[in-house]
Each structure stands twice: as structure tokens, then as C-alpha cells.
Amino acid sequence: MKYSAPIDIDYDAATMLSLYEKHIGHYLNDPQAIRDNPAFINAYTSYLINGSDIDWPIDNIVNAFGIDVDTIKVFITKPNKKLFLHRDKVANKEELRQWAINVPILNSKCGYNEWFEDKDNNFGNEQVVHGGVATMPQGLHDNYILAESCVLDRVTLLRTDVMHRARNDTDKLRVVLSIRGNPSISWKEILEKVNEYNSKRNSCSS
């Protein structure tokens, strides 16, 4: 896969879900509380939540790859919705964010992450959205040519500077934690670390 790399690493799924339900999940039945909470962006297709202030059990993931955490987001794809295509940006800067490590929280197998390449698609004059943390194509249609997709069934490194989206074709919420590291670390550098880590794990188990 060009744009995703599953990581053979354990994580505390039960605690992740408990923290999500405690700090985020209960808001979803209270639209006024969502509007009043500055950590929430309620988009048509999803909820985008700043989760940096929550003590997620991700030390083993961060330490395994020497990640200097820049920000942590929680992405909730609403039922039967797909996110608008976008590239991630570093907030309030011109540079694109090249990667993220995503961790399943709830119903992550209910959808896909999808990527769309520039060579196959015309994205026009891209517009900066969501307070400067993403760019989107000029036109909002669904005739783009898909290059790659994956199911997020484990901790996974994803490329985020290529046009991409999450897709949920079910009646359930799809919830994912997204760890964003220091943007000075390139996709190539973090991918090399992930491949080396996976190789060592595989050699130890064989």
C-alpha cells in the first residue's frame, strides 16, 4: 500500500473507549453542548474534536517511534456519510501535514480510508477550510478516481498530504483517534521507522 501501513503494536482498546465515552461520546446527544464546546467542530459528515487534553493510553505508540506529539484529534464519521476530500495542513501554516497514526476506538471496521491521486484527478484551486487545518478541492462532486483504500482494523500509519477521506457506509458512528507528530518529520522518515518496527516484531515472533 502506498498511503497506509498497518502497525503491529498493541493498544489499550478498553481504556480508549472508556475515555471517549467519558469525554466525548456523551456530548453527541446534546447539540447545544456541542455548539458550546470549542473543542468540537460539527460538520455535515463528521465531528472533528481536539483530543489533546485527554490522557489517552498511547505512550507505547509514541515511544516506539519517538513521536513528538503536535496534536491529537478524534474523528467521528457520521452514519452513511463520507468526509469531503481534503489534505491535512499544519494549523496556521502553509505546509501540509504529511502523516498521522490513527488508532481505532469504535466501529472502525465500518468504513474505509480512501486516497485520490493528483495525476488522476483535477482538484482545481484548493480552498483552505476548518480554521486552516485542511484544504479541499474547488468543486464538491463525487467523480474522483480512487487510488487506494484500507480498513482501519488496527493502529495504522496514514499519509495525509494526498487527497483523502474517511467513508462510513453503515448506520453506526465510526470513531478514530489520530496522533499527529512534529510536522518536520516527513512521511518517508516515519514510514521507515514503522517498517523497521514491524520487521523486528515479525522476526521476534517467527
Side-chain angles (χ1 to χ4, degrees):
M1 303 286 271
K2 291 171 63 176
Y3 303 126
S4 64
I7 304 175
D8 185 17
I9 194 167
D10 297 325
Y11 72 100
D12 188 346
T15 300
M16 296 279 282
L17 180 59
S18 177
L19 288 169
Y20 160 74
E21 291 174 340
K22 177 181 179 181
H23 295 283
I24 296 171
H26 68 92
Y27 279 101
L28 303 186
N29 294 320
D30 188 344
Q32 185 61 49
I34 292 175
R35 285 192 292 270
D36 293 341
N37 190 329
F40 275 73
I41 296 176
N42 183 5
Y44 173 68
T45 60
S46 62
Y47 300 102
L48 313 177
I49 300 125
N50 184 352
S52 297
D53 293 335
I54 300 171
D55 189 18
W56 303 101
I58 57 173
D59 284 351
N60 66 315
I61 300 172
V62 170
N63 294 336
F65 305 108
I67 298 172
D68 177 14
V69 176
D70 187 46
T71 186
I72 295 174
K73 302 291 185 183
V74 176
F75 294 105
I76 304 176
T77 310
K78 296 177 181 179
N80 298 298
K81 293 286 188 292
K82 49 196 173 190
L83 271 62
F84 296 121
L85 264 63
H86 64 283
R87 307 179 203 266
D88 291 8
K89 282 180 80 274
V90 180
N92 303 314
K93 295 185 179 180
E94 292 300 317
E95 66 183 299
L96 293 173
R97 187 178 292 281
Q98 295 187 28
W99 59 273
I101 291 179
N102 282 13
V103 184
I105 293 181
L106 180 66
N107 299 324
S108 61
K109 296 180 183 180
C110 289
Y112 306 89
N113 288 85
E114 301 179 326
W115 288 266
F116 302 79
E117 295 180 333
D118 291 87
K119 67 182 180 63
D120 297 326
N121 299 281
N122 179 8
F123 299 118
N125 295 319
E126 298 175 27
Q127 310 297 311
V128 177
V129 296
H130 294 315
V133 298
T135 66
M136 289 174 53
Q138 183 176 14
L140 294 177
H141 60 78
D142 202 30
N143 298 322
Y144 300 109
I145 298 171
L146 178 68
E148 182 179 314
S149 66
C150 77
V151 175
L152 195 81
D153 57 358
R154 67 192 74 183
V155 179
T156 304
L157 172 68
L158 305 176
R159 186 155 188 179
T160 57
D161 60 343
V162 175
M163 279 292 180
H164 63 284
R165 69 183 176 195
R167 176 182 186 134
N168 181 3
D169 295 330
T170 76
D171 294 327
K172 301 176 181 179
L173 293 170
R174 178 181 184 269
V175 185
V176 172
L177 183 82
S178 188
I179 305 167
R180 279 89 192 298
N182 188 324
S184 67
I185 304 301
S186 70
W187 163 259
K188 181 179 179 181
E189 289 170 313
I190 191 67
L191 180 61
E192 287 177 352
K193 290 184 178 183
V194 166
N195 287 339
E196 181 180 0
Y197 176 88
N198 285 338
S199 178
K200 288 181 179 178
R201 289 271 291 190
N202 291 335
S203 64
C204 289
S205 61
S206 60

